[in-house]
């Protein structure tokens, strides 16, 4: 299980919409956060999000302890189960 | 958690030494149009062989001020040997990374893109043109270095900061304090701790 929290601000919306294009990924809400989760990895393509660099590299509010970021670069964000 | 009332009213002044008052006045008063609002001409006194000095202030809006000290008879070496990088106050060797050298800086606020671009126009027409114009997360900034080598930023908000961003900032700080209290703090540990705080404190 991997869980990723993303704060609900306008700049981050495309991160969430791109994440849920994967049918294995679900998105819920916890207060002002989007809670993105999956049994396996979560992979988000940077170009698909159209995020500027500063937004892309600061879009993550939290990663549950059962997941770990294994890639966060100009191409993609990837969170793998531990 | 802050429970005490918050009484302060912004920046009164921030002060820096200068060894080039002529260029400093050109940059702040003549190029940027920041009015000179105060100055003190003082004879040196005190135990440290304090030089005679002029302390002069420019209005940076909101009645806040940037101030400089010019010490007669002193040169940049008073603060140590001249380095490869840095400014009139602090000098660094060539091996000190740029992110560190640039970390301490002053940013002055404007209300709109229009105003930001007006200051860009003034700087670009001067000897201190804009070096970078960058959109960060929710702000846009222009940067240059003033005649003393101080990094100078003017910034505007692209949208107002929302209350949930303030809440998120407080979660970040609480997570950070937990992580730096433990061994070997990392960004990964911070994000893991922050996820726990979100689950603990934020109602579903
Ligand atoms: Fe800044």
């Amino acid at each position: 299980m991997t869980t990723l929290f993303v704060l609900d601000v306008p700049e981050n919306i495309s991160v969430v919409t791109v994440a849920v294009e994967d049918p294995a990924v679900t998105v819920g809400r916890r207060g002002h956060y989007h809670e993105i989760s999956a049994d396996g990895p979560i992979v988000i393509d940077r170009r698909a999000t159209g995020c500027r660099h500063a937004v892309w590299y600061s879009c993550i509010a939290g990663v549950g302890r059962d997941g770990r970021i294994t890639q966060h670069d100009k191409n993609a964000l990837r969170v793998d189960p531990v | 958690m802050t429970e005490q009332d918050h009484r302060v009213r912004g920046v009164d002044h921030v002060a820096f030494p200068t060894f080039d008052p002529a260029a400093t006045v050109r940059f702040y008063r003549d190029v940027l149009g920041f009015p000179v609002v105060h100055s003190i001409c003082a004879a040196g006194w005190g135990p440290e062989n304090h030089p005679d000095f002029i302390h002069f202030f420019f209005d940076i809006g909101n009645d806040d001020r940037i101030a400089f000290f010019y010490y007669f008879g002193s040169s940049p070496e008073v603060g140590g040997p001249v380095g490869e990088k840095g400014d009139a106050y602090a000098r660094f060797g060539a091996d000190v990374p740029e992110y560190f050298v640039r970390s301490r800086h002053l940013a002055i606020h404007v209300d709109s893109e229009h105003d930001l671009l007006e200051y860009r126009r003034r700087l670009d027409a001067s000897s201190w043109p804009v070096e970078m114009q960058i959109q960060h997360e929710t702000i846009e900034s222009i940067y240059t270095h003033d005649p003393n080598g101080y990094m100078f930023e003017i910034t505007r908000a692209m949208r107002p900061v929302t209350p949930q961003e303030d809440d998120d900032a407080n979660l970040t700080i609480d997570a950070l304090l937990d992580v730096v209290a433990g061994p070997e703090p990392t960004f990964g540990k911070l994000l893991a701790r922050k996820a726990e705080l979100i689950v603990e404190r934020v109602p579903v």
Side-chain angles (χ1 to χ4, degrees):
Chain A
M1 186 74 180
T2 47
T3 306
L4 186 64
F5 292 98
V6 173
L7 185 65
D8 182 23
V9 290
E11 294 76 21
N12 290 343
I13 287 168
S14 64
V15 173
V16 180
T17 54
V18 170
V20 291
E21 282 170 15
D22 180 345
V25 170
T26 58
V27 174
R29 290 285 297 204
R30 185 174 281 268
H32 295 299
Y33 296 92
H34 300 281
E35 184 169 1
I36 303 172
S37 44
D39 289 328
I42 298 167
V43 183
I44 302 170
D45 180 82
R46 149 106 201 289
R47 283 170 196 83
T49 67
C51 287
R52 294 190 306 277
H53 275 207
V55 172
W56 175 245
Y57 289 111
S58 62
C59 67
I60 304 171
V63 179
R65 290 209 187 269
D66 35 16
R68 206 185 48 178
I69 296 173
T70 51
Q71 181 185 5
H72 193 178
D73 57 25
K74 64 186 189 330
N75 299 313
L77 168 65
R78 183 182 174 100
V79 186
D80 278 303
V82 172
Chain B
M1 206 62 64
T2 302
E3 302 291 346
Q4 306 186 86
D5 56 342
H6 189 45
R7 302 187 190 188
V8 290
R9 305 280 295 138
V11 175
D12 185 283
H13 63 278
V14 56
F16 304 89
T18 180
F19 300 97
D20 191 347
T24 298
V25 169
R26 275 212 317 282
F27 181 82
Y28 288 98
R29 184 191 68 185
D30 302 336
V31 171
L32 291 167
F34 295 178
V36 172
V37 284
H38 185 51
S39 76
I40 294 162
C41 307
W45 79 94
E48 269 199 303
N49 259 336
H50 197 300
D52 301 336
F53 67 96
I54 308 291
H55 193 21
F56 55 103
F57 295 69
F58 302 95
D59 189 313
I60 55 172
N62 202 36
D63 287 332
D64 302 344
R65 297 167 298 169
I66 184 171
F68 292 88
F69 288 101
Y70 174 66
Y71 302 106
F72 289 101
S74 68
S75 60
E77 293 76 37
V78 70
V82 173
E84 309 287 320
K85 295 180 178 179
D87 53 44
Y89 182 78
R91 288 165 295 287
F92 304 95
D95 53 333
V96 177
E98 209 56 40
Y99 73 82
F100 183 82
V101 174
R102 289 177 176 175
S103 61
R104 194 199 56 190
H105 63 272
L106 174 71
I108 294 176
H109 185 78
V110 291
D111 281 335
S112 67
E113 180 177 29
H114 183 258
D115 291 348
L116 188 75
L117 295 178
E118 170 58 21
Y119 285 105
R120 168 152 205 160
R121 189 189 65 73
R122 294 180 194 182
L123 288 167
D124 283 346
S126 79
S127 305
W128 303 276
V130 168
E131 297 164 18
M132 301 184 285
Q133 177 166 349
I134 301 178
Q135 288 190 352
H136 300 279
E137 296 83 357
T138 60
I139 63 171
E140 183 175 29
S141 300
I142 55 175
Y143 299 88
T144 191
H145 287 82
D146 91 343
N148 309 294
Y150 302 128
M151 195 168 88
F152 179 83
E153 175 181 357
I154 298 182
T155 190
R156 68 161 182 118
M158 293 187 285
R159 62 166 174 78
V161 173
T162 61
Q164 60 260 37
E165 287 169 288
D166 292 337
D167 292 345
D168 182 66
N170 281 284
L171 279 187
T172 297
I173 293 306
D174 288 347
L176 179 64
L177 295 187
D178 288 345
V179 166
V180 297
E184 295 170 41
T186 63
F187 189 50
K189 288 178 185 174
L190 175 109
L191 292 178
R193 181 61 188 141
K194 212 175 142 191
E196 286 176 347
L197 293 179
I198 290 170
V199 171
E200 271 173 36
R201 294 190 193 166
V202 180
V204 181

